[in-house]
Amino acid sequence: MSSATSTTSLPSGLAVLTTFPDVLFIPEFIFGGLVWILVASSRVPSPILQGWVMFVSVFCFVMSTTLLCLYFCGAHGGSSSWVTLVSGCDK
């Protein structure tokens, strides 16, 4: 039994903004920033809860920005394991 494996090259540089799965970084970046702003400007009865939500939103925003910058720089080197990394971070 033979299995066909497809190899796809991961984009780098401005080509990241032209492929469908990778172009989703842009709305993720925009909405991540909006969530960060909305959480920071809201008032809650227990500030410790807001701190944890703020930590998670800032952490996810920074990780998305870092992944986008790494894709722009071409740090993935064409390795397909980066697809798993990105899909794991986006959940």
Side-chain angles (χ1 to χ4, degrees):
M1 186 181 251
S2 66
S3 64
T5 58
S6 64
T7 59
T8 59
S9 62
L10 296 174
S12 61
L14 292 178
V16 171
L17 301 177
T18 59
T19 58
F20 175 69
D22 300 321
V23 80
L24 294 177
F25 271 121
I26 296 169
E28 182 179 350
F29 184 75
I30 293 169
F31 289 123
L34 288 174
V35 166
W36 185 16
I37 292 167
L38 289 172
V39 169
S41 66
S42 64
R43 295 197 178 267
V44 293
S46 178
I48 191 71
L49 297 176
Q50 184 179 15
W52 279 108
V53 172
M54 188 70 176
F55 169 76
V56 170
S57 65
V58 170
F59 179 77
C60 291
F61 181 75
V62 169
M63 288 304 295
S64 295
T65 305
T66 303
L67 281 173
L68 181 62
C69 291
L70 288 173
Y71 263 95
F72 275 138
C73 296
H76 51 74
S79 174
S80 62
S81 63
W82 280 73
V83 175
T84 307
L85 174 69
V86 170
S87 64
C89 288
D90 290 341
K91 300 269 178 193

